Amino acid sequence: MEKGTLVEVKLHGDRRLVVIDRPEGKKHFQAIDENGNNHTIHPREINYTIKASGENASFTHLQIPSFLQKVEKFLDPSSLEVAWEILIEDNQATNPNDLASLLFSELSAVTSYASYCLLSNDKIYFKQKGDLYEPRSSSQVLELKHQAEAAAQRARLLEEFQQKITTKLAGGEVTWTASDRSRLDCLERYALHGDEASDKAAAQELLSFAKRSKNEQAAFQMLVDLGIWSEHENLNLLRSQIPIRFANELIAAAQECFTSPIPDNMKDLRRDLTHLHVYTIDDISTTEIDDGLSIETLADGKKRIWIHIADPTRWLDPESPLDKDARKRGTSVYLPTGVIPMFPIELAAGPMSLIENKICHALSFAVDLDEVGAVARYEIVASLVKPNYRLTYEDVEEMLQLGVEDDLDRLAEFARLRKKWRVDQGAIEIHLPDTSVKVDSKNGDRLTLELMEDTFSRQLVAEMMILAGEVAAKFAQTNNIPIPYRYQEQPELPPLDTLMQLPSGPVREFAICRCMTKGSLGLYASRHSGLGLDAYAQVTSPIRRYSDLLAHWQIKAFLREEPLPFTAEMLTAILQAIDPAIWDANQVEKQSVRYWSLEYLRRNKDVVWEALMLDWLRENEKLALVLIEDLGLKLPMRINRQIQVGDNLRIKTGEVDPRKDIIYFQEAQQSTSVLEMEMERDSDRLESEYATL
């Protein structure tokens, strides 16, 4: 190859023009680029040789920039489409020289190289075959154009998305589209699952674009900064299988319950109990009202208890879309930030609930007690009721103190009688403080943590619900109706003299609590040792617990004298299917309460808390369980000094990280002694440390 020949080569992956200077050995050449730099090239690295004629047949490297400027004038991609339309008629192949003559009516070094550039860069109209370029078919061109347009659109969307990221991180306002959210999904998955995320690489690419570290913590913070997540996003909930929202078809199905309700299959059997005064008693924040209480005065002057339970099965059939979704959920999920209901809330808090001053459908339990509190007679009926009083527990406490409601006073007498009877039957009473954690997300995540008092009004309602559960179990056993039963094996409690040596109050109660066995659910009635009942079934929360809903369907079918909707085998399969969902919900509830409890302590770092040492979890490691008495919080805590069960502590919060589930305390009266407490990250391990907490 002669000196001064202009060639296109590939240098470091780029196409470059160089001028041949001289041979280098037997096979190579020395060439000079436009900047005067020397390169050793092999003939196979040459893409195209530019042939010139006349006096300018030889080039120097100084001419390369001006040559490229001339070529640039001919690089119009649309001209290639014109050539394709001409050549496709006869399916005629072409080369750079022929294309130059066809397009520009001029064959020169400039037009020939321009044609080569058009052909070599083309991905749509021509395909190379040897030294020739053949026109693609019309169908191929159409498809390639479509692909190119789609790729260009994706590129535009990506550029717009990246611009939104930049704008938002700089404090500007943006509107996220569905396309944007799908791109951000990879960031969410990475923040939730770390290295196990399927699209980890895409998430890290986003983090790299935003000049952030490539880890899940950085992904979480970026989502917060982008306004996608809140600072307190519930990652445990997002990692779970709990559906957070209802599909559109379920919302539509719920709406049909208002506009076109299914026929009431108990209509002819429903007993009109609207003449009874019905009290519904719940927390003020409760929206799903599923139980009410009444007293009926009989002809002989005796008093009969009525326990009315909401009848959600009035509004749906087994295997309907709403039923299948409720079965998938298994339960409503109660979080400090709010409730994820088992049914759409418009339905759950609407026609399914017992609403004040409205005629409502119910399954009502009539119970006569004997003089010691045992069930003497009972009846279960489908009913119509009209709640008269929507009361809170505080309302009931006040009304009982004032004695202004005779029926409420009588319910209280029956509750005391029932409690004494159950204790006589072996019921195990445990009185440990409990805590209510509430977060008002509409008011800047305002956090309240209150000690729930074990008031008599709560005991009253609990006794009536337990009574309904006992009656339901008796009814199912007597009539051979398969329903889910709740049972609890007898625990091995410490000897009485051992218990009496412990300080009274929370320490002694906790010692009993640690011995309690876990409750179970099954189709065979067995003793519930904690409640002191030979058989017990949960039927009082059918809006919130799917197992209660199953019992309602079975009992109502029996009352109609129709075949039961579920066999024992079917119920067993359903209970096994919903068990993981219920476990998942329980775990998320515990984790959420723990997170916000730590956040409460973080926000109140300057407060000195009165604490009580309940027991050792692992004494050899100095790991104790303490109770912060004003809050009702039970927390593991490492104490590096001599201390006895029942001793009082005054502790102050140090560093807290709710996200990492870690907190450090220091004892207020010993400022030089730092006590460390590390929350167990795995909920199973924590639960094993102090069984039923």
Side-chain angles (χ1 to χ4, degrees):
M1 191 172 292
E2 297 180 359
K3 179 182 176 68
T5 303
L6 185 62
V7 296
E8 181 190 277
V9 297
K10 183 172 286 187
L11 293 177
H12 309 298
D14 295 329
R15 293 166 58 173
R16 301 276 295 280
L17 290 182
V18 296
V19 175
I20 300 297
D21 184 43
R22 54 184 166 76
E24 179 75 18
K26 293 183 180 181
K27 296 183 179 181
H28 292 80
F29 295 94
Q30 279 290 323
I32 307 174
D33 64 21
E34 70 272 20
N35 298 317
N37 298 318
N38 290 314
H39 301 276
T40 301
I41 61 173
H42 191 278
R44 64 171 172 264
E45 294 178 291
I46 298 175
N47 297 330
Y48 188 72
T49 300
I50 300 166
K51 297 179 181 179
S53 59
E55 295 180 359
N56 295 324
S58 180
F59 288 89
T60 70
H61 72 278
L62 297 175
Q63 294 175 290
I64 293 176
S66 61
F67 178 82
L68 288 174
Q69 286 181 354
K70 294 174 183 178
V71 170
E72 187 70 29
K73 298 176 182 179
F74 294 94
L75 297 182
D76 181 3
S78 63
S79 63
L80 201 61
E81 183 175 8
V82 174
W84 174 79
E85 290 176 346
I86 295 172
L87 296 172
I88 190 61
E89 293 181 0
D90 298 322
N91 196 26
Q92 181 181 348
T94 189
N95 59 41
N97 289 342
D98 291 343
L99 186 64
S101 299
L102 175 65
L103 288 179
F104 312 121
S105 301
E106 173 191 338
L107 180 58
S108 66
V110 170
T111 58
S112 177
Y113 182 62
S115 297
Y116 165 75
C117 290
L118 287 171
L119 288 168
S120 61
N121 290 330
D122 173 51
K123 304 296 183 185
I124 296 178
Y125 299 104
F126 294 90
K127 59 183 176 181
Q128 188 174 7
K129 196 167 185 180
D131 294 332
L132 297 176
Y133 293 85
E134 297 178 348
R136 299 181 190 272
S137 68
S138 298
S139 60
Q140 288 177 321
V141 168
L142 188 63
E143 175 60 24
L144 290 170
K145 279 186 174 182
H146 174 72
Q147 292 177 7
E149 289 172 1
Q153 175 67 7
R154 288 193 297 271
R156 285 194 298 272
L157 289 175
L158 176 59
E159 185 178 356
E160 291 172 4
F161 172 69
Q162 291 176 336
Q163 183 57 50
K164 287 182 180 179
I165 292 283
T166 302
T167 301
K168 185 64 178 178
L169 293 179
E173 292 297 323
V174 301
T175 301
W176 301 112
T177 65
S179 174
D180 297 331
R181 290 308 303 261
S182 66
R183 292 180 188 277
L184 291 167
D185 283 347
C186 69
L187 207 59
E188 294 189 4
R189 285 188 286 270
Y190 186 45
L192 291 171
H193 306 295
D195 290 340
E196 296 180 4
S198 58
D199 40 10
K200 167 186 170 182
Q204 291 185 332
E205 186 178 345
L206 263 180
L207 290 167
S208 179
F209 170 78
K211 296 181 174 58
R212 303 206 173 194
S213 301
K214 297 179 181 179
N215 55 54
E216 51 264 46
Q217 292 80 18
F220 172 85
Q221 189 57 50
M222 184 168 166
L223 287 164
V224 173
D225 294 342
L226 291 173
I228 305 300
W229 281 357
S230 73
E231 178 187 357
H232 300 291
E233 196 71 29
N234 193 332
L235 301 189
N236 292 310
L237 175 62
L238 296 179
R239 290 188 186 106
S240 75
Q241 300 300 311
I242 298 170
I244 300 175
R245 299 175 183 83
F246 290 90
N248 291 335
E249 55 267 27
L250 295 170
I251 299 297
Q255 188 61 37
E256 286 185 13
C257 293
F258 294 88
T259 58
S260 304
I262 61 174
D264 181 10
N265 55 19
M266 302 295 291
K267 182 177 180 180
D268 296 335
L269 297 175
R270 285 199 187 274
R271 189 175 301 180
D272 188 345
L273 299 178
T274 55
H275 61 284
L276 295 177
H277 286 185
V278 178
Y279 305 93
T280 63
I281 307 169
D282 265 298
D283 288 309
I284 193 169
S285 60
T286 302
T287 56
E288 303 154 283
I289 311 298
D290 49 17
D291 58 79
L293 304 173
S294 296
I295 290 292
E296 179 185 14
T297 303
L298 304 178
D300 58 3
K302 292 183 178 180
K303 303 294 183 178
R304 172 172 293 164
I305 301 170
W306 281 95
I307 305 164
H308 312 287
I309 307 301
D311 184 11
T313 61
R314 152 69 184 93
W315 305 99
L316 65 156
D317 292 319
E319 304 300 332
S320 65
L322 285 169
D323 171 52
K324 288 181 178 179
D325 185 71
R327 186 181 302 177
K328 179 181 177 182
R329 295 170 180 269
T331 180
S332 293
V333 184
Y334 292 87
L335 305 174
T337 49
V339 181
I340 304 174
M342 190 170 71
F343 292 105
I345 193 63
E346 298 83 2
L347 190 58
M352 284 185 173
S353 283
L354 302 183
I355 302 175
E356 186 178 15
N357 294 324
K358 288 191 176 182
I359 296 177
C360 306
H361 299 80
L363 192 64
S364 295
F365 297 71
V367 189
D368 298 336
L369 300 180
D370 64 17
E371 62 278 2
V372 297
V375 175
R377 180 185 174 279
Y378 67 85
E379 183 181 14
I380 302 177
V381 299
S383 64
L384 293 174
V385 298
K386 187 177 182 181
N388 308 90
Y389 301 97
R390 168 75 164 93
L391 303 176
T392 65
Y393 293 107
E394 292 75 17
D395 293 334
V396 174
E397 288 291 322
E398 183 177 354
M399 293 170 75
L400 289 175
Q401 290 177 8
L402 296 175
V404 294
E405 284 286 331
D406 291 341
D407 287 353
L408 203 56
D409 291 340
R410 187 52 57 93
L411 283 168
E413 292 174 11
F414 282 134
R416 294 187 184 95
L417 186 63
R418 277 292 296 176
K419 181 177 180 180
K420 181 179 184 306
W421 179 83
R422 287 195 307 105
V423 171
D424 292 342
Q425 304 306 306
I428 301 171
E429 290 188 85
I430 299 176
H431 300 286
L432 279 171
D434 202 359
T435 306
S436 171
V437 183
K438 300 291 184 184
V439 179
D440 185 358
S441 57
K442 296 179 180 179
N443 192 14
D445 285 332
R446 188 170 67 90
L447 174 58
T448 57
L449 196 151
E450 296 178 354
L451 189 64
M452 292 177 61
E453 297 183 28
D454 188 17
T455 59
F456 178 72
S457 58
R458 293 183 182 275
Q459 295 175 23
L460 184 157
V461 173
E463 286 298 336
M464 293 300 108
M465 298 306 105
I466 294 169
L467 177 57
E470 181 188 3
V471 168
K474 287 178 179 291
F475 184 81
Q477 284 182 298
T478 301
N479 298 290
N480 296 315
I481 305 171
I483 65 170
Y485 293 92
R486 175 69 62 176
Y487 56 90
Q488 185 181 37
E489 294 181 1
Q490 187 69 31
E492 294 185 11
L493 297 178
L496 183 59
D497 58 344
T498 301
L499 284 175
M500 296 306 294
Q501 292 175 12
L502 296 173
S504 60
V507 172
R508 192 179 299 171
E509 298 294 325
F510 181 72
I512 298 173
C513 183
R514 291 192 71 169
C515 299
M516 296 301 292
T517 57
K518 188 177 180 180
S520 300
L521 196 65
L523 293 187
Y524 299 97
S526 186
R527 180 170 174 78
H528 196 297
S529 60
L531 298 179
L533 300 177
D534 292 332
Y536 174 68
Q538 288 180 314
V539 293
T540 58
S541 295
I543 306 176
R544 321 181 203 192
R545 281 194 302 254
Y546 192 79
S547 58
D548 296 37
L549 201 71
L550 293 172
H552 276 233
W553 260 317
Q554 297 288 85
I555 291 171
K556 287 174 62 179
F558 180 85
L559 294 176
R560 293 193 306 270
E561 299 182 356
E562 293 180 0
L564 303 181
F566 304 104
T567 65
E569 292 75 16
M570 293 168 66
L571 286 177
T572 298
I574 292 173
L575 292 178
Q576 289 175 347
I578 67 175
D579 186 63
I582 294 172
W583 186 89
D584 213 9
N586 289 337
Q587 291 302 112
V588 170
E589 288 176 349
K590 291 178 182 177
Q591 292 159 350
S592 301
V593 168
R594 188 159 67 245
Y595 174 90
W596 284 105
S597 297
L598 293 188
E599 174 62 15
Y600 184 87
L601 291 171
R602 187 191 70 80
R603 296 183 186 184
N604 293 273
K605 292 179 67 173
D606 296 331
V607 177
V608 175
W609 304 104
E610 300 293 334
L612 178 68
M613 201 288 219
L614 288 179
D615 201 356
W616 289 109
L617 295 177
R618 293 191 292 270
E619 188 171 3
N620 61 321
E621 299 177 21
K622 298 297 184 182
L623 185 65
L625 186 73
V626 300
L627 170 69
I628 299 180
E629 297 182 88
D630 289 342
L631 304 179
L633 293 179
K634 296 174 281 290
L635 303 171
M637 177 176 180
R638 189 161 283 111
I639 305 176
N640 296 316
R641 69 176 179 88
Q642 292 296 321
I643 190 170
Q644 301 295 321
V645 172
D647 283 356
N648 293 309
L649 300 165
R650 299 180 73 246
I651 59 177
K652 187 175 179 181
T653 308
E655 179 186 352
V656 187
D657 190 337
R659 186 64 65 192
K660 293 181 179 178
D661 207 13
I662 294 175
I663 184 170
Y664 296 92
F665 285 119
Q666 68 180 45
E667 199 169 352
Q669 70 267 32
Q670 296 181 1
S671 58
T672 60
S673 174
V674 178
L675 310 178
E676 297 182 358
M677 182 285 289
E678 185 169 319
M679 297 289 292
E680 301 290 347
R681 297 186 184 183
D682 183 89
S683 57
D684 286 338
R685 285 183 57 199
L686 183 58
E687 190 169 6
S688 70
E689 294 290 356
Y690 47 104
T692 56
L693 289 181

